[in-house]
Structure formats: C-alpha cells, structure tokens
Amino acid sequence: MNLKQIKEIQAKHSYPSVTITLPTNRTAPDNEKDVIRLKNLVQEAVTRLESEFGKRETINIVENIQRLADEVDHQHNLDGLVIFANNEFSASYKLPFRLPERASIEDNFVTRDLVYALNRSPLYLLTVLSENGTRLFVGHKDILDEVNDHGFPFSLENVIASASPGQDISHVRDQIVTDHMKEIGDALIEAQKQTPAPIVVVGVDRNIGHFRDGARNSDDIMLYINSGLSNENEHELAKNIWPQIKDALHVERQKIFEEISSAKGNNLFVGGLDEVWQACIDGRVETLIVEEDLHIAANVSEDGRNLTELEGSFEHTENTYEDIVDEMIEKVLETSGRVKFVDNGSLKEMNPTHGIAAITRY
C-alpha cells in the first residue's frame, strides 16, 4: 500500500464505514493465533453494525467483512492486516509494519495508522545499484519488501551490449551508466511520491559515482552506503546495513524540530488544538506534527470551527469522531500537506495539553 492508495481510500465517504486493523505474524506458530484474533475483531464489528444500524441495513457490509476475513491466507502473513468495508467499497491489505488491534466504525475509513506507518521511522526506500539489475525495496527496520514498480528492477546488460563497437567503449559505457542513473533517480522520485520515506542508496563506489553525476535528486538521498553488498540476498543485505540506516533515520527525524523553530520565527506555527484543527480544515497546513500515540475523541461544533474533547463512552453522531487526529491527517493530505510523527512528549513545550502542532503555509 502506498500514499496514492491511501488517498483514494480516504476519499470514499459512506456511513457506516468499517476499518479493522490487526498486528499479524509472519511465522508459525504465532500466525495461527492471528486467525482467532481476526475472527474476534470481525465479530466485534458485526455486532456493533447490527445493533447500531440494523441487520437488514448492514447485510452487504457484514458479508464483505466476513468474505475478506475468510480469504486471508495466514500462512503468508506480513506484520499487519487491514480490512475496509462499506456499502461502496471493500478491500484488505497485508502490510510490512505493525498495526494496532482495533475495529472502528466511522463515516469514512480510519487511515491514521497507515499514514503513521508510511511516515514513521524506520520506514525507508532502499535502492541497490547494480548493472545486472538495480532493485528497489521498502525497508522496515531490518526487513525488506521488494517493489516491482516505477520501472524497477532496472538492467543495463542489454543497453551496454548494444553500444557501437567503433566507439571508445569505456567512454560510451560511462555515459550509458550515467544516463541510466538519471532514469533510476527519476523513478525514485516517483516511488517517493507514493511512499514518502527517505531514500538509501547502496552500491560500489563506481556506480554511486555515476548516480551522483546522473540523478537529479542525488543531493536529496538520506544515506549512501559504499559497498559490494548488492550481491547478497535481501535478508543478509538488510541485516548488514540496518545499523547505519537506523542512525541516519534518527538524525532525519530530528530535522522537523529545526523546521518548527524556523516556522515560529516566521509566524507560521500553531499549537492549540482548535487552532490546528482550523488550519487543517482551511487548507493552510504545510506540515502536521503528531506525537506517535495521540488519539483524541472529539465533537465538532455546528459551525465546524471548534472541538470539544469527549471522554469515556459517547453517542456517535455525524459531528463526533473516535479520533479527530485521523480527520486532521486526512484533511492535510487532501491539500498536499505532510504529516510527521514524533516521539511521545516531544511537543510538550509547544502544546502542553495535546501532542499536536502545525507548520502553516501562511
């Protein structure tokens, strides 16, 4: 799943919309327990649907949820599972990151956890430069999942073989490789639009040099790793490079606080809950900053401008939200803003009561 897919799912508004998320396990015997836990979440969602909206009114949604749950092959689980279902749309996705165990019913699908997973450390894009086949992976800690999209994997073998024998083959080869790296750099730009994560480039010195010369985004790479590790299998590759990537991701995550400091100096920072909400609905948010575990149940005023926090159980209406933070995230993404997650408690000085803040466009 990538950012484009999340935006498409966010656009599907229908009440009720059910979102089921579950952390899953890749190996036995732990993945055998996932069957029972998913069954319990499905039953929880079905019970709530039928009691709140009626059996006849929700029969299509219930059938879709049960069908999707039955279709899950738990022998090939990743780290997370999500099921979406309403009267217009239903789908399930296996994901390479952990998700909370939750069943939610809202007027749209709850995507906060997916956005968090796409923005949080330690998610990264890894490209392995090799003339035999440059590959792309989405990395989560020391686990790599290959991406066969945006032109990846790229291969130079046929291109170099077709070079004119009457030319200086060394010069021609260098130019071909440099041009090839420009193509790879452009593909990485497209990949990053769909998975907004920092990029790591691995390769031998020669290929990294060609990449720096050819790719127009070469200065935006978070980390270069000069190594012949490209010949290793992905498990060994991830194990060997993860310590360097972990350190680089920590440095990258701290940059948001430099942006906050600059925004304060330019009067482009808001920290109060109502002020952040208003900036989100007005489309003024360039970057929304959220503490990792922040969830706020809230009621929106009739004019849509103010929030009242809700505690404990409450009556669900069109103006109440189990998590208003998810609504803010969706509105920011709809207006091409960014969402960054930070450590719990790190926004306390800027917003003593809520772990949320925003950098605005104006």
Side-chain angles (χ1 to χ4, degrees):
M1 171 167 283
N2 55 43
L3 185 56
K4 179 182 179 183
Q5 290 172 309
I6 290 176
K7 287 185 176 181
E8 290 172 351
I9 290 170
Q10 288 173 339
K12 300 180 185 299
H13 292 264
S14 177
Y15 192 57
S17 292
V18 178
T19 306
I20 294 174
T21 58
L22 178 72
T24 53
N25 298 279
R26 295 181 180 235
T27 58
D30 292 332
N31 58 14
E32 296 170 5
K33 302 174 185 176
D34 297 338
V35 181
I36 298 173
R37 291 163 58 228
L38 176 58
K39 182 179 180 180
N40 291 339
L41 281 174
V42 167
Q43 187 56 53
E44 176 187 338
V46 169
T47 299
R48 286 182 57 190
L49 279 172
E50 293 179 344
S51 64
E52 293 180 30
F53 304 95
K55 288 187 176 182
R56 180 180 300 178
E57 291 77 8
T58 58
I59 186 169
N60 290 335
I61 302 176
V62 169
E63 288 178 352
N64 283 331
I65 293 171
Q66 293 174 334
R67 172 182 55 81
L68 291 169
D70 290 341
E71 289 175 353
V72 175
D73 180 0
H74 290 280
Q75 297 305 309
H76 295 91
N77 277 345
L78 296 180
D79 300 309
L81 173 71
V82 59
I83 292 176
F84 298 113
N86 62 22
N87 280 317
E88 285 78 40
F89 175 81
S90 61
S92 66
Y93 301 90
K94 291 181 177 181
L95 303 168
F97 38 73
R98 305 289 286 177
L99 294 172
E101 190 166 328
R102 181 186 300 143
S104 300
I105 301 175
E106 298 280 359
D107 62 352
N108 54 10
F109 295 120
V110 177
T111 58
R112 176 187 189 276
D113 299 306
L114 306 183
V115 176
Y116 166 56
L118 282 175
N119 283 276
R120 68 178 175 176
S121 298
L123 202 67
Y124 55 95
L125 289 170
L126 173 72
T127 186
V128 182
L129 303 178
S130 171
E131 292 168 20
N132 296 325
T134 290
R135 304 166 71 188
L136 177 66
F137 300 88
V138 173
H140 176 232
K141 295 187 178 179
D142 59 353
I143 297 172
L144 298 177
D145 289 283
E146 187 161 8
V147 177
N148 293 308
D149 199 1
H150 313 293
F152 290 96
F154 286 85
S155 177
L156 260 181
E157 286 183 323
N158 294 333
V159 180
I160 292 178
S162 64
S164 172
Q167 296 175 288
D168 179 349
I169 190 63
S170 176
H171 174 74
V172 171
R173 181 191 177 285
D174 284 348
Q175 189 57 53
I176 288 173
V177 175
T178 298
D179 292 344
H180 179 68
M181 295 303 175
K182 178 182 183 301
E183 187 178 0
I184 291 171
D186 290 344
L188 283 171
I189 291 172
E190 293 305 310
Q192 198 174 38
K193 289 178 182 177
Q194 303 306 324
T195 304
I199 298 173
V200 178
V201 173
V202 175
V204 297
D205 291 354
R206 180 181 67 253
N207 285 335
I208 287 181
H210 286 302
F211 184 89
R212 288 182 179 276
D213 290 339
R216 59 192 176 101
N217 59 331
S218 60
D219 291 338
D220 298 326
I221 304 305
M222 179 184 75
L223 177 67
Y224 286 98
I225 299 178
N226 296 71
S227 173
L229 293 172
S230 58
N231 294 322
E232 295 187 353
N233 65 54
E234 55 199 67
H235 174 73
E236 289 299 319
L237 173 64
K239 180 180 177 181
N240 284 320
I241 65 176
W242 168 239
Q244 296 178 66
I245 294 174
K246 182 180 180 181
D247 290 342
L249 285 168
H250 177 73
V251 173
E252 187 76 11
R253 195 168 196 179
Q254 300 310 305
K255 290 181 180 178
I256 190 62
F257 295 100
E258 297 175 11
E259 295 181 33
I260 289 173
S261 178
S262 176
K264 284 183 173 181
N266 293 310
N267 293 319
L268 296 174
F269 175 84
V270 291
L273 185 61
D274 278 343
E275 290 79 3
V276 173
W277 167 251
Q278 291 163 13
C280 289
I281 62 177
D282 291 342
R284 294 191 295 115
V285 176
E286 177 66 33
T287 305
L288 182 68
I289 306 103
V290 184
E291 291 186 1
E292 288 179 347
D293 296 327
L294 180 67
H295 295 270
I296 301 174
N299 181 79
V300 181
S301 62
E302 289 298 325
D303 65 1
R305 305 293 295 176
N306 298 99
L307 303 176
T308 301
E309 287 188 64
L310 302 172
E311 296 182 2
S313 60
F314 55 87
E315 181 181 354
H316 290 270
T317 71
E318 60 180 301
N319 291 327
T320 61
Y321 296 88
E322 289 184 8
D323 187 10
I324 199 67
V325 176
D326 185 68
E327 294 298 309
M328 294 189 196
I329 289 170
E330 292 183 6
K331 292 181 184 303
V332 168
L333 292 179
E334 286 172 0
T335 55
S336 300
R338 302 183 302 160
V339 181
K340 295 292 183 181
F341 290 87
V342 295
D343 295 336
N344 293 329
S346 59
L347 295 176
K348 194 174 182 72
E349 290 185 8
M350 305 162 201
N351 188 338
T353 56
H354 303 93
I356 194 166
I359 296 172
T360 61
R361 296 184 170 104
Y362 55 89

